[in-house]
Amino acid sequence: MLPYWADLPGVSMTDYTNSPLAQQLNSHQREAVFHDKGPLLVFAGAGSGKTRVLTYRIAHLIMERGVDPWRILAVTFTNKAAQEMRERVESLVGPEHLERGTIQMGTFHSIGARLLRRYGKAIGIRPDFTIYDTGDQRALIKRILKELNLDDKLLPVQLVASVLDRAKNGARDPASMVVGGSERSKPLRAVLETYAREMRRNNALDFGDLLAEMLHLLEQSEEVRNKLQGRFDYLLVDEAQDTNLVQYRLLRLLLGPGRNICLVGDDDQSIYRWRGARVENLTDFREDFPEAQVVVLGRNYRSTKTILDAAAAVIEGNPERQPKELFTENPMGEPIILFRGDDEYDEAHFLVEQIRDLLKEDFSAGDVAIFYRTNAQSRLIEEELVKRGISYVIVGGTRFYERKEIKDLLAYARLVVNPDDSVSLLRIINTPTRGIGAKALLALTDKARELEVSPYRALEQTAHDSAPRLKNAFIVFEKMVETWRQRDQGGESPSVILTDIVETSGYGSLLRRGDGPEFEARLENVAELIAAVREYENKNEQPTLLGFLENAALVSDPDTYEHSQQAISLMTLHCAKGLEFPAVMISGLEDGLLPHSRSLDDPDGDGEERRLFYVGITRAQRRLFLTWAGRRLGRMGYSQTRASRFLRDLPLNLVKNLGPPPLSVPLFDHGQTTQQRAREPFVQHESRIEFDHHPDYSAPQGHAPETTIQSAGSHELSPGQRIQHGVFGEGRVVEAEPYFDAQRVTVVFNSGERKVFLTRWAKLKTID
Ligand code: ATP
Ligand code: MG
């Protein structure tokens, strides 16, 4: 409901100074939050409250303007950010306002998936489609190359995948990307066309399709367009500098007559160009919406003056950017610590020593984050943290849903939901072995091609033409899947079906028969998967296997991040976007790593890497550490490194070097401008750097208290009992409930992590 004076002439809608929200915003932020109607662009540097403005604007619309929550569509960069924003809005507006519906929030991909399931029929998309991740996409491309008798050296899978991605993110038909008549163009076109046909037959969409097909839907179906254009009164997008062309077009098509669109972004933080992000969307927005109100936020609330000045000095090195002034009222703070280790071991050692020092101050482990450019850099740091008994959480790396046993079981589940999914079928039809060998599979796929159906639908016919033993194997397999299908369609809960899949398929006993820690870990992962399904069931009112699979398919690295006050956070710079930590350490500041050597092929590669560094620096609230290694082990053995060119831009008065003394060696000796040389901290003003001695690394390590360990074996666990787990260490059972012929227990570990296990699979030992 609008306030009573809303329609009175001369009364400004922006007069919300008495709003409870206004107390927590500065005047520029208020301008954006209480902006009346029409397009709005919030363009501002890091830590200036952009995400806060977006969140408060949603709260304001619901609470003070009577907008129904379901009329609002908010797009965030990760599912996790959406979840956090939703919680924050809920706490601002209170439950009574949210009874009017659910705010539509999520990433473009998750929103695309949701809308396609609902409305995709208009362009021939079935609601039970499967989402193919990059691994599935590659498996399909590989199979197509084989079927077309093409050499994957001539046409690497990665090349095909990247053509597909670029086309779909750029709103183009993949086949139209192939121009000219080179040796590769004809086969490439054939692969792309077969891929498109196969995807339809598989009833599957890849990540690019979730956006591209959504765009097709809105462009091609007038009925759906009419329905959806008025559906959302307000569109709001965070991190708009990293949207791609399709996403921008989607926004324009979803826009209702009120043109209430709000983009929030910072061109200096555009770091996903390699995935099709176009910072130009921000400039296009100004042209496409000339009436848009533009709000610039200048005050940074996050970082100390020192950190902010360093960030500004680094980003100023990018020639093509919109200059922005960013200031802070925060204190000057501590200098930025620089350290060059002799090698990567020395660097990791230093980082961990510094963490130990921080922990002696008022920092807790959860306040500290270490960033790096590539996932591979984490290994040594992890080893060092383990040695020193410091808990950590790592974001990304080998993702849970990419593990073999998890992919196998999800393939079963996907087949249950969508039997046309041939990538899943071929993955598990003979896992565990059922006597359906390579020759039998070939007969099956040939038959499918002949009948122009998916392999699953060709099972019966192939069985009919096969020898008795194989025939039986095909029939038993099909029957098994059909039984699960009926149970799923009958509304049985996903966790029960999945548990049955584990047992009836023989996958569980396959793992239990295996010997050694690898199999134990796999069994634990299976238990973890079932726990994840249960968690999904608890959070959703109408849980379905399809719904769980969709969540699992759309999980991205940053979504897996569970912050804990007791653990250091480790992640790549890309994952750090939008986050903040009291203390930040950026490691591997070397030419070749940051900027990454791959960026050299790209004309704006250097600029993008510099923005990545800027994103890293601006995550820090109070303390910042920048480290690199003098030599590093690469594929060709050890080689000398050069300090990152970006370090040259750090003003001398902001840094303190804790590295070994040979800093008089001009570290930054390549291609400097005069202006940069004037700022050069190490050569001209060397005497102004404090040279601390090497930290003492010989401090004794703490010993874990001795414990008596007994196997939990067959006896039951009960709340309060202390247990030991191979990976997570010691903890206490807080909940225990019967679960089929075993127990499902919730354990809180000493690290603060909370985990759910099935006792049948997890190796938990009781401790006296
Ligand atoms: P990024 O560019 O990194 O995405 P951002 O511009 O989205 O940053 P926020 O994350 O919204 O910035 O805010 C940065 C920090 O400043 C947060 O801790 C936020 O709570 C705080 N903050 C923002 N505005 C205010 C304010 N008016 N008063 C107090 N704290 C604020
Ligand atoms: Mg933000």
Side-chain angles (χ1 to χ4, degrees), residues 106 193 214 360 577 668:
E193 282 164 4
M214 193 56 218
K360 284 182 209 144
K577 195 159 99 149
F668 313 133

Side-chain angles (χ1 to χ4, degrees), residues 617-764:
I617 297 175
T618 53
R619 303 307 93 202
Q621 292 172 310
R622 288 159 53 202
R623 299 289 276 274
L624 179 64
F625 299 76
L626 305 175
T627 65
W628 69 104
R631 56 190 197 118
R632 187 176 290 273
L633 192 61
R635 242 175 287 163
M636 318 288 280
Y638 264 107
S639 57
Q640 294 294 320
T641 65
R642 285 213 286 209
S644 168
R645 62 194 68 180
F646 303 145
L647 285 174
R648 270 190 256 149
D649 291 332
L650 292 175
L652 169 68
N653 57 337
L654 305 180
V655 302
K656 176 173 170 183
N657 177 54
L658 295 190
L663 274 177
S664 51
V665 178
L667 286 163
F668 313 133
D669 58 351
H670 38 286
Q672 288 156 298
T673 61
T674 334
Q675 190 199 2
Q676 280 166 336
R677 207 167 279 138
R679 284 209 218 118
E680 173 59 80
F682 300 103
V683 184
Q684 279 106 337
H685 310 287
E686 181 195 320
S687 58
R688 285 172 54 190
I689 295 182
E690 290 175 48
F691 285 84
D692 284 8
H693 58 280
H694 243 331
D696 175 16
Y697 298 144
S698 56
Q701 294 179 29
H703 287 283
E706 301 253 318
T707 45
T708 330
I709 295 178
Q710 282 175 3
S711 168
S714 53
H715 62 257
E716 296 216 319
L717 293 172
S718 47
Q721 219 157 354
R722 294 207 321 123
I723 57 93
Q724 166 99 28
H725 181 275
V727 176
F728 300 105
E730 279 180 42
R732 191 176 291 280
V733 176
V734 292
E735 271 174 47
E737 56 171 320
Y739 192 73
F740 296 96
D741 57 345
Q743 270 186 307
R744 180 173 183 268
V745 293
T746 308
V747 179
V748 173
F749 288 96
N750 292 356
S751 65
E753 270 194 286
R754 197 182 172 89
K755 293 263 167 203
V756 181
F757 299 97
L758 294 187
T759 48
R760 177 157 162 199
W761 283 315
K763 287 261 153 61
L764 301 178

Side-chain angles (χ1 to χ4, degrees), residues 38-60:
L40 169 68
L41 175 66
V42 180
F43 182 71
S48 58
K50 294 185 295 301
T51 303
R52 185 183 185 99
V53 159
L54 207 112
T55 313
Y56 276 60
R57 180 157 173 79
I58 297 172
H60 163 70

